[in-house]
Structures are given as structure tokens and as C-alpha cells.
Amino acid sequence: MSPRKKDEKKYTKYVGIFLAVIMVGSIGMFFFSGGSTNNDNEQSENVQVSGFESVPGEHIGITLNSIQDGLQVTPDNVTTARYMDIAYLKGTPLQYLTGNTSVYNNFYGSNVTKLYSAGYDNSSWIEMHEIDPQVVAFQYYTAPETYKGYQPLSRGQGIYNVIGTPMILGEQQSVEDTIDVIEGDAESAQKFNEILQFASADAPIQQVVDLENEFADQYYVEWAIEDGSSFRRTALYANPTENTMTNLTIRASNTSQKGLNYNITEYGNIIKVDITANASNFYAMAMEPIQ
């Protein structure tokens, strides 16, 4: 397969994330590769539900209310990131965009209320989860060494948790790199700073991806509830192609039959596209193409 075909395949995968109505969550590849928290060669240390205080060492304590908050403590060179306020979305039509998040609840034995994830070109990843109640209701094995005062908890197959608000989850190197950023010993992700200047700080669903000269250099999308009966999908494009702009303009002028309202605003090299719709036209808005 040529490098160009490989790139097309990779970016088609990224674009598919945003085109899908159901954005299924994943803890890296852990849940989908037969991951287990058990290991027959080790003795489980945790059998009783207990509070966070039962885990010694430093605990994570950072704000996680947006994708911007997550990126501030994410190691640099990230290529895609996502944020969902699962508790806020529960019971609303936007809940259907989060996919089946019960897998996270099962993973922790507690309700996951907020979720953030970031991925890299080398397939490494990091996730952050706020849980309620804040209990340790899962099996783990204490790592033999702490890292900068934090006690990693092995969940099997090279995956580690670090206790706190939020919980940090990932492979050992990703977890340590994230702690470095939290402790101020490494740079956080900077790639999306420009495009996120025009994003909301309180949208309950946010995603951003680096496309490297596809239909735009970068693409961001957020979903929000405007009031009890209307919804908004906002997209940001960094350096969109001429073809992308043409398509957006055409769709903006032909949406009355779909019950959609378009508003396109230009901020230099950033194009912002707001689409609003009432509940009866929510599906049409969800399926509206992004390019």
C-alpha cells in the first residue's frame, strides 16, 4: 500500500469519528482486545470497596470541564482529543451521541461522569475519567514503584490507573508523561491552541483532530443544548480547502427543507459553522456532512 493510500485510510478513520451518529467510547484498545483486570500470576490486593484515601501517595486533582482543560495536562504532539460530560448529557437527545458508556462504569465499579481521551500518531493514548462515587471498587495490583509520589495501579496488560479527580488511565509511559505535565515538568499539548480560541468552554461534547492538509488542516466539532427544545452543532475548520468552503456554502443555502439553520463566520484562517435545529430535526443535524 502506498504512503498516500495509508494516509487516506488514516484520515478516513478520523473523519468517520465525526460523521458517526454514535460516538462509541474506548479506553484505548483495552476494552476491545479482551482486556481483563485479573492476572492469575499475581495476587489481588483489592477486594473491598473503599475510598480514594485507601490508595497511598499523591492523588490527581485538576479541573476537567472541557477539552481545553484536558489538553492543558496532555503531553504534546497529540493528534486527536475528545471530551464528554456524560452526567450532563444523560436523559437528553445528545446522550445518543456518546455511545455505550456503561463499559466505563463496569471498569470502575462506579459511574463515570466525565470522560476525556487523547491519541497520538504512534498509537499511544491517555484517558481521564471523573467517577461518582469516588470509590476504589475494582481489582488492581500496586505497581512496585511510585512515580513522582503517585502510586500507579496496574489493571493488567500494561494498563495503569492513577487515583484522583480525574482518574488517569493509560500505558505506563503515557501515564508518566501526563504526570510530568501535571507537575509542570513537561510541555502540554499546543497543537490546537489557535482553533480552540473559537470553541466554547462549556460544550458537553467536544472533539478535535489534526488532519494534515485533508479537507482542512484541523477540524473541531462540539454539540450543545441551546434550550429545552433546540440543539447546536458547531464546527471549526483551520485552513479549509476551497472545495470544503464551496460545499459548506451550498449546504447553508439549501437547508430549509431539513429544518436546519446555518451561520458561517470567518476568523482569518478559521471558519466557524453553527448549525441549529429543534428536537424534531435533531437527526437531520446529526447526519449533516462535515465537508
Side-chain angles (χ1 to χ4, degrees), residues 22-53:
I22 302 300
M23 294 182 285
V24 179
S26 64
I27 295 182
M29 296 180 65
F30 185 59
F31 287 135
F32 303 105
S33 62
S36 170
T37 59
N38 294 317
N39 186 322
D40 292 337
N41 295 322
E42 298 177 275
Q43 182 179 359
S44 174
E45 298 181 0
N46 183 47
V47 293
Q48 298 291 332
V49 174
S50 54
F52 282 2
E53 69 281 356

Side-chain angles (χ1 to χ4, degrees), residues 85-107:
D85 188 335
I86 297 171
Y88 175 86
L89 296 167
K90 188 174 182 180
T92 74
L94 293 184
Q95 179 180 0
Y96 298 102
L97 300 177
T98 66
N100 181 13
T101 58
S102 63
V103 65
Y104 290 90
N105 300 340
N106 295 335
F107 185 74

Side-chain angles (χ1 to χ4, degrees), residues 18 46 71 109-110 115 122 133 147 166 200 204 215-216 219 248 267 275 281 289:
F18 301 106
N46 183 47
L71 287 167
S110 183
L115 179 154
N122 63 1
Y147 185 75
S200 300
F215 63 87
Y219 176 74
L248 290 172
Y267 302 97
I275 307 175
N281 296 308

Side-chain angles (χ1 to χ4, degrees), residues 212-224:
E212 297 182 11
N213 302 310
E214 289 300 301
F215 63 87
D217 287 348
Q218 295 177 353
Y219 176 74
Y220 165 90
V221 65
E222 68 183 36
W223 296 77

Side-chain angles (χ1 to χ4, degrees), residues 51-260:
F52 282 2
E53 69 281 356
S54 64
V55 177
E58 299 289 335
H59 291 177
I60 303 297
I62 59 175
T63 300
L64 186 63
N65 293 325
S66 65
I67 198 170
Q68 295 92 325
D69 288 340
L71 287 167
Q72 286 181 5
V73 290
T74 297
D76 206 3
N77 300 315
V78 63
T79 55
T80 183
R82 174 187 57 164
Y83 167 82
M84 295 191 299
D85 188 335
I86 297 171
Y88 175 86
L89 296 167
K90 188 174 182 180
T92 74
L94 293 184
Q95 179 180 0
Y96 298 102
L97 300 177
T98 66
N100 181 13
T101 58
S102 63
V103 65
Y104 290 90
N105 300 340
N106 295 335
F107 185 74
Y108 286 108
S110 183
N111 298 314
V112 174
T113 59
K114 294 179 182 178
L115 179 154
Y116 168 83
S117 62
Y120 297 79
D121 274 342
N122 63 1
S123 297
S124 62
W125 54 275
I126 192 69
E127 295 208 8
M128 305 178 193
H129 312 117
E130 287 194 7
I131 66 174
D132 182 33
Q134 294 186 336
V135 294
V136 183
F138 51 84
Q139 290 186 323
Y140 65 85
Y141 310 97
T142 303
E145 296 182 1
T146 60
Y147 185 75
K148 295 187 175 179
Y150 295 87
Q151 177 60 69
L153 306 179
S154 172
R155 304 300 303 276
Q157 296 195 1
I159 305 300
Y160 292 85
N161 261 134
V162 174
I163 293 292
T165 307
M167 306 284 281
I168 304 295
L169 184 82
E171 297 175 335
Q172 181 178 358
Q173 190 61 59
S174 296
V175 168
E176 292 181 358
D177 290 346
T178 301
I179 290 174
D180 287 344
V181 177
I182 291 172
E183 291 297 307
D185 298 327
E187 290 293 323
S188 63
Q190 306 293 318
K191 185 186 294 287
F192 301 115
N193 284 0
E194 181 181 14
I195 196 171
L196 289 178
Q197 291 181 66
F198 306 97
S200 300
D202 58 356
I205 298 178
Q206 300 175 282
Q207 291 181 288
V208 68
V209 62
D210 183 34
L211 294 171
E212 297 182 11
N213 302 310
E214 289 300 301
F215 63 87
D217 287 348
Q218 295 177 353
Y219 176 74
Y220 165 90
V221 65
E222 68 183 36
W223 296 77
I225 302 172
E226 292 288 86
D227 53 48
S229 60
S230 67
F231 303 88
R232 173 177 54 83
R233 189 185 91 179
T234 295
L236 298 171
Y237 302 78
N239 295 315
T241 64
E242 183 177 343
N243 186 60
T244 297
M245 287 303 304
T246 298
N247 291 340
L248 290 172
T249 302
I250 291 173
R251 283 198 294 274
S253 62
N254 293 282
T255 56
S256 58
Q257 67 274 21
K258 298 181 182 179
L260 305 179

